[in-house]
Amino acid sequence: MLAEIITIGDEILIGQITDTNSAFIASELNRIGVSVYQITSVQDDRSHILKALKDAESRADVVFITGGLGPTKDDITKHTLAEYFEDTLVPRPEVLEHIEELFKKYISTPISDLNRQQALIPSRAEVLHNAYGTAPGMWIRKGNKVFISMPGVPFEMKNLMTHHIIPKITVEFERPYILHRTIMTYGLGESAIAQRIETWEDELPAYIKLAYLPNLGKVRLRLTAKGTDKEHLKTSMEVEIKKLYGLIGDIISGEEENGAIEAVVASLLTKRNLTLAVAESFTGGNIAAKLTAIPGASAYFMGSIVSYATAAKIQVLGIPKELVEKYSVVSPEVAGAMAEQAKSQLQSDFAIATTGNAGPTKGDSDADVGTVYIAIASPSGVKAQKFTMGNHRTRIVQKSVHKAFEMLKAEILNF
Amino acid sequence: MLAEIITIGDEILIGQITDTNSAFIASELNRIGVSVYQITSVQDDRSHILKALKDAESRADVVFITGGLGPTKDDITKHTLAEYFEDTLVPRPEVLEHIEELFKKYISTPISDLNRQQALIPSRAEVLHNAYGTAPGMWIRKGNKVFISMPGVPFEMKNLMTHHIIPKITVEFERPYILHRTIMTYGLGESAIAQRIETWEDELPAYIKLAYLPNLGKVRLRLTAKGTDKEHLKTSMEVEIKKLYGLIGDIISGEEENGAIEAVVASLLTKRNLTLAVAESFTGGNIAAKLTAIPGASAYFMGSIVSYATAAKIQVLGIPKELVEKYSVVSPEVAGAMAEQAKSQLQSDFAIATTGNAGPTKGDSDADVGTVYIAIASPSGVKAQKFTMGNHRTRIVQKSVHKAFEMLKAEILNF
């Protein structure tokens, strides 16, 4: 079963916004066995939208459309859909009622005719209730194809996907089984790995696809199996992964767990009833932000002291001035002291500390751009490690945040 | 002049990554007067790529292609491009030399044949030097059309765009002039605004397009003028914006400055030689992370105390326990005290503090989900304001971070 995604909006094509909706929709579909064949972003333009709908219909069973459902003149998706389906717009009382309710609750200005027009829907469309906004989702059948239109506002779209569309697709469509397994490696580049597994890769069954995913200095190998016989796919995948371990077991660090590393750490801390504090220098709040993005962070996260300026490390974090003078602010000694201070001040079981130079110029130390120290304080002591993270500011921070969570994870598992 | 973007990679279509490259490319092109007609994401599949190239060629003058240039078997872009142009791959000594150099400097494993094959380039392609990676950019002419292929790794792509491709397009193509102006409003929804400016909108000249951009509870109006006569466009835009002020001047808060609000604040602080400290509760490090993402933050940013747990507010930030008990942790009193403590502990001129409940459940206070207080401490005192930010965790944080920067900006300008 194939799907396509069409995102509509000039703001995408002038680069004013990044289309994050497509990745969410694609990943949700993938999870239930629906493959996305193509993603197309088009302008708020009648003929462009019509062409995209026609092209997508020729290739896919289900076409997802986001954007262009607002109440103003530049939003033309609904009229264009009506034209495409040779349909007319008719008022839907249940949608109007919902719009009036939203206005009563959240919006201070009186409801206008333009808002009321959002309750006009193509007559053959099934309405999908948009709890968070005035533009409803629409499910429109054409022959054996289905078109699904959603607003472009990400949190409205996500709610529609999760609560209405995914459940409906699960019931109405037979889908193949898609199985992903991602093997994490370390220490070798993708071409070196490719050479070591060349014969195995060539002999993979046709229903298993391999992808190399280099990121943050490591290569992950993603195996994707697709078919109708779930048990057969699972067994066959197991066999191939066993062979892979035989070939490159020395550089495999494990299988990727579901979700990001910070979610893995968060879940470990919560399960074991442990708490965490952070002292961040060049990572500037990014470790804290990653943790607090996960609901329930208050169960284990005490706080972070973002001591960006050297003065802040001394005054707030209480790092002895002599230590900074003796070893410099970018040193294993200062990293270790930061972790210990965070742990004791914030009264936590574990603490992460980072200090380093993310560039573009040298800061309060002579350390080269990209030189960083990460320390973990645990109930059994403190460890600091040095890393060289390249010379690209954003990537130095990203890589270091990831590395810090990896180090913490290892310490928790050793505890 | 029209461009199209084709992004290649299964990882996009299974939703494993978000395509951020397209927005960057589109926005860079827009700046120099190149319109992007369509963005298409396709799989690592020969026939799919060939079809996308043909379609894009039929519509655009320049086709941008990212992804699929790695050294492994799943990366097939280069071979497919050679097939599309009926060309063969030939070794390029200058590319090989660069690959060997990168291996010597940064990569511990020996260079392999697969890496050397990255120096094979279609014979008619002009090589664009990729300083950060082994896969070079390619500039390929076909008749009066140009195809530009870049690696999918964002920071390699960005460097190629900025240093090679944009300058080259500027020299080689005549482009129209594109002018964007974005007017910020407050207090009215998009439909209410649309009603007030309906006649004006209908009478806009054909070369000026209007878009409504609702975001974080406010509506921005983007006017885009496109044409060959720069001076005429500028004058005409000025005339229309004057009319717009006449119609809705009461709800216009100004014109959008270049860049994000945190960049505006950063530049204000730097120019005026002022410093900033932060005390964050539910925003959990996001204010600090936004600030430190901007190079040069160390000039004005002292640090942030992310006091997520109530205990941390008391112990590290030094908020009197009695104050918390009397007013609760989500209160204007605690927000104000947090700002004052951050300012004094981190010895800054200004401080931002946030406290509130981002959900999903109530925390250490009875405050409803979405209730937040933001305080600004300045040399002339401290101000705290209450906001109701809805019930969506991520959006509560995003909106509050934005609001905090707006409040700080106003205080700095008043100072």
Side-chain angles (χ1 to χ4, degrees):
Chain A
M1 182 186 164
L2 284 183
E4 289 216 6
I5 301 170
I6 301 172
T7 60
I8 299 174
D10 292 353
E11 63 275 26
I12 300 170
L13 295 152
I14 68 169
Q16 195 163 27
I17 66 154
T18 298
D19 167 27
T20 56
N21 286 345
S22 294
F24 179 84
I25 298 170
S27 123
E28 286 296 291
L29 291 176
N30 223 262
R31 216 171 32 78
I32 59 164
V34 180
S35 303
V36 174
Y37 184 76
Q38 182 169 314
I39 300 167
T40 312
S41 299
V42 302
Q43 305 178 34
D44 294 303
D45 173 274
R46 184 187 144 273
S47 65
H48 198 176
I49 297 171
L50 291 174
K51 174 78 166 64
L53 289 169
K54 202 175 149 213
D55 288 350
E57 185 184 345
S58 74
R59 294 178 297 239
D61 306 296
V62 184
V63 180
F64 287 80
I65 304 140
T66 66
L69 294 182
T72 50
K73 281 184 209 293
D74 55 328
D75 290 309
I76 59 166
T77 299
K78 205 168 59 179
H79 292 91
T80 311
L81 283 173
E83 179 179 347
Y84 188 73
F85 298 111
E86 298 172 359
D87 197 359
T88 49
L89 300 174
V90 296
R92 294 293 176 97
E94 76 273 29
V95 177
L96 185 57
E97 208 171 291
H98 175 59
I99 295 172
E100 286 171 337
E101 211 173 284
L102 286 175
F103 263 79
K104 219 181 283 172
K105 262 199 195 157
Y106 298 113
I107 300 166
S108 55
T109 50
I111 190 165
S112 75
D113 281 349
L114 284 176
N115 298 120
R116 290 203 184 89
Q117 281 165 25
Q118 291 199 283
L120 294 172
I121 308 293
S123 74
R124 52 196 282 191
E126 186 178 329
V127 165
L128 307 171
H129 180 63
N130 175 5
Y132 290 136
T134 51
M138 294 177 263
W139 177 287
I140 308 171
R141 242 170 244 292
K142 186 186 173 196
N144 57 351
K145 312 254 165 160
V146 169
F147 292 75
I148 298 164
S149 161
M150 295 182 282
V153 182
F155 80 106
E156 297 182 16
M157 178 281 299
K158 284 181 186 169
N159 186 60
L160 275 165
M161 279 296 290
T162 309
H163 296 295
H164 298 282
I165 295 162
I166 292 295
K168 200 165 157 70
I169 289 176
T170 315
V171 172
E172 299 203 4
F173 287 91
E174 284 213 2
R175 291 145 292 119
Y177 188 67
I178 298 181
L179 180 63
H180 295 291
R181 296 275 293 269
T182 304
I183 309 295
M184 301 188 297
T185 73
Y186 61 91
L188 275 192
E190 53 178 329
S191 52
I193 297 173
Q195 280 194 313
R196 283 180 59 181
I197 63 178
E198 189 172 8
T199 315
W200 171 82
E201 184 175 352
D202 288 341
E203 289 169 0
L204 273 178
Y207 54 85
I208 299 186
K209 252 185 123 174
L210 172 71
Y212 295 80
L213 307 169
N215 188 29
L216 302 174
K218 292 180 179 178
V219 179
R220 291 170 303 150
L221 303 174
R222 187 190 62 230
L223 288 155
T224 304
K226 196 164 134 181
T228 45
D229 185 345
K230 183 172 164 176
E231 284 317 309
H232 173 249
L233 287 183
K234 277 191 166 174
T235 319
S236 171
M237 185 72 112
E238 225 31 271
V239 169
E240 295 304 332
I241 286 178
K242 213 165 174 179
K243 286 188 202 160
L244 191 61
Y245 268 84
L247 293 168
I248 54 166
D250 56 319
I251 57 158
I252 291 178
S253 59
E255 255 196 77
E256 191 166 75
E257 290 162 82
N258 283 330
I261 178 87
E262 63 270 19
V264 174
V265 166
S267 139
L268 273 176
L269 289 166
T270 310
K271 271 187 211 146
R272 302 188 180 200
N273 207 13
L274 296 166
T275 57
L276 175 67
V278 185
E280 308 189 52
S281 179
F282 73 100
T283 54
N286 279 286
I287 293 178
K290 285 259 186 208
L291 289 170
T292 56
I294 307 166
S298 54
Y300 59 85
F301 181 55
M302 305 305 292
S304 173
I305 297 171
V306 184
S307 53
Y308 205 66
T310 299
K313 293 187 185 68
I314 296 165
Q315 290 148 22
V316 180
L317 207 46
I319 305 299
K321 204 176 163 195
E322 301 68 43
L323 196 79
V324 174
E325 277 165 2
K326 186 166 174 197
Y327 297 107
S328 102
V329 73
V330 179
S331 64
E333 290 79 8
V334 168
M338 286 171 68
E340 281 175 330
Q341 282 298 106
K343 180 171 174 289
S344 90
Q345 284 200 36
L346 287 154
Q347 299 178 15
S348 61
D349 301 309
F350 288 84
I352 299 174
T354 64
T355 179
N357 185 357
T361 56
K362 290 188 179 187
D364 283 353
S365 99
D366 278 341
D368 287 335
V369 171
T371 300
V372 313
Y373 291 90
I374 302 172
I376 306 290
S378 72
S380 53
V382 61
K383 281 180 196 168
Q385 246 184 289
K386 180 183 178 172
F387 301 94
T388 312
M389 296 295 195
N391 57 8
H392 190 279
R393 185 177 173 90
T394 319
R395 280 174 62 88
I396 292 170
V397 172
Q398 283 173 351
K399 283 180 177 176
S400 304
V401 169
H402 194 265
K403 176 54 77 182
F405 285 126
E406 278 187 355
M407 286 173 63
L408 174 63
K409 184 184 154 196
E411 286 301 317
I412 300 172
L413 292 175
N414 279 338
F415 174 55
Chain B
M1 182 187 164
L2 285 182
E4 288 216 7
I5 302 170
I6 300 172
T7 61
I8 299 174
D10 292 352
E11 63 275 24
I12 300 170
L13 294 152
I14 68 169
Q16 194 162 31
I17 66 154
T18 297
D19 166 28
T20 56
N21 286 345
S22 294
F24 179 83
I25 297 169
S27 124
E28 286 296 291
L29 290 177
N30 223 263
R31 216 172 31 81
I32 59 164
V34 180
S35 301
V36 175
Y37 183 75
Q38 181 169 313
I39 300 167
T40 312
S41 299
V42 302
Q43 304 178 35
D44 294 302
D45 173 274
R46 184 189 144 271
S47 65
H48 198 174
I49 297 172
L50 291 174
K51 174 78 167 65
L53 288 170
K54 202 174 151 218
D55 287 350
E57 186 185 343
S58 74
R59 293 177 297 237
D61 306 296
V62 184
V63 180
F64 287 81
I65 304 140
T66 66
L69 294 181
T72 50
K73 281 185 210 291
D74 55 330
D75 289 309
I76 59 166
T77 300
K78 204 167 61 180
H79 292 92
T80 311
L81 283 174
E83 180 180 348
Y84 187 73
F85 297 111
E86 297 173 357
D87 198 359
T88 49
L89 299 174
V90 297
R92 293 293 177 95
E94 76 274 29
V95 178
L96 186 58
E97 207 169 293
H98 175 58
I99 295 172
E100 287 172 338
E101 210 172 285
L102 285 176
F103 263 78
K104 216 180 285 171
K105 263 196 195 161
Y106 298 112
I107 301 166
S108 53
T109 51
I111 189 165
S112 75
D113 281 349
L114 284 176
N115 298 121
R116 288 201 186 89
Q117 280 164 25
Q118 291 199 283
L120 294 173
I121 307 293
S123 74
R124 52 197 281 193
E126 185 177 331
V127 165
L128 307 171
H129 180 64
N130 175 5
Y132 291 135
T134 51
M138 294 177 264
W139 177 288
I140 308 171
R141 243 170 244 292
K142 186 185 175 199
N144 57 349
K145 311 253 166 164
V146 169
F147 292 74
I148 298 165
S149 161
M150 295 181 282
V153 182
F155 81 104
E156 298 182 16
M157 176 282 297
K158 284 182 187 171
N159 186 59
L160 276 165
M161 279 296 289
T162 309
H163 296 295
H164 298 282
I165 294 161
I166 292 293
K168 202 166 156 70
I169 289 176
T170 315
V171 171
E172 300 203 5
F173 287 91
E174 284 214 2
R175 291 146 291 121
Y177 189 67
I178 298 182
L179 180 64
H180 295 290
R181 297 276 293 270
T182 304
I183 309 295
M184 301 188 297
T185 73
Y186 61 91
L188 275 192
E190 51 179 330
S191 53
I193 297 173
Q195 280 194 312
R196 283 181 59 181
I197 63 177
E198 190 173 7
T199 316
W200 170 81
E201 184 175 353
D202 288 341
E203 288 170 359
L204 272 177
Y207 54 83
I208 299 187
K209 253 186 122 174
L210 171 71
Y212 294 80
L213 308 168
N215 189 28
L216 302 173
K218 290 179 180 177
V219 179
R220 291 170 302 150
L221 301 174
R222 188 190 61 229
L223 288 155
T224 304
K226 197 164 134 184
T228 45
D229 184 345
K230 182 171 165 177
E231 284 316 309
H232 172 248
L233 286 183
K234 279 191 165 172
T235 319
S236 171
M237 186 72 111
E238 226 30 271
V239 169
E240 296 303 334
I241 286 178
K242 215 166 175 179
K243 286 187 204 162
L244 191 60
Y245 269 83
L247 293 167
I248 54 165
D250 55 320
I251 57 158
I252 292 178
S253 60
E255 258 197 73
E256 191 166 75
E257 290 163 81
N258 284 328
I261 179 86
E262 64 269 20
V264 174
V265 165
S267 140
L268 273 177
L269 290 165
T270 310
K271 269 186 212 148
R272 302 188 181 200
N273 207 17
L274 295 166
T275 57
L276 176 66
V278 185
E280 307 189 53
S281 180
F282 73 100
T283 54
N286 279 286
I287 294 179
K290 285 259 185 206
L291 289 170
T292 56
I294 306 165
S298 54
Y300 60 85
F301 182 55
M302 305 306 291
S304 174
I305 298 171
V306 184
S307 53
Y308 206 65
T310 299
K313 292 187 186 70
I314 296 165
Q315 289 147 25
V316 180
L317 206 47
I319 304 298
K321 205 176 164 196
E322 300 69 41
L323 197 77
V324 174
E325 278 164 3
K326 185 166 174 198
Y327 297 105
S328 104
V329 73
V330 178
S331 64
E333 288 80 8
V334 169
M338 287 172 68
E340 280 176 329
Q341 282 297 108
K343 181 172 175 287
S344 92
Q345 284 200 35
L346 288 154
Q347 299 178 13
S348 62
D349 300 308
F350 288 84
I352 298 173
T354 64
T355 180
N357 185 357
T361 55
K362 289 188 179 189
D364 283 352
S365 98
D366 277 340
D368 288 334
V369 172
T371 300
V372 313
Y373 290 90
I374 303 173
I376 307 289
S378 73
S380 52
V382 62
K383 279 180 197 168
Q385 247 184 288
K386 180 184 180 173
F387 301 95
T388 312
M389 295 296 197
N391 57 7
H392 190 278
R393 184 177 173 90
T394 319
R395 280 174 63 88
I396 292 170
V397 172
Q398 283 172 352
K399 282 180 177 178
S400 303
V401 169
H402 195 266
K403 177 54 77 179
F405 285 126
E406 278 187 354
M407 285 173 63
L408 174 64
K409 184 184 154 196
E411 285 301 318
I412 300 172
L413 292 176
N414 278 338
F415 174 56

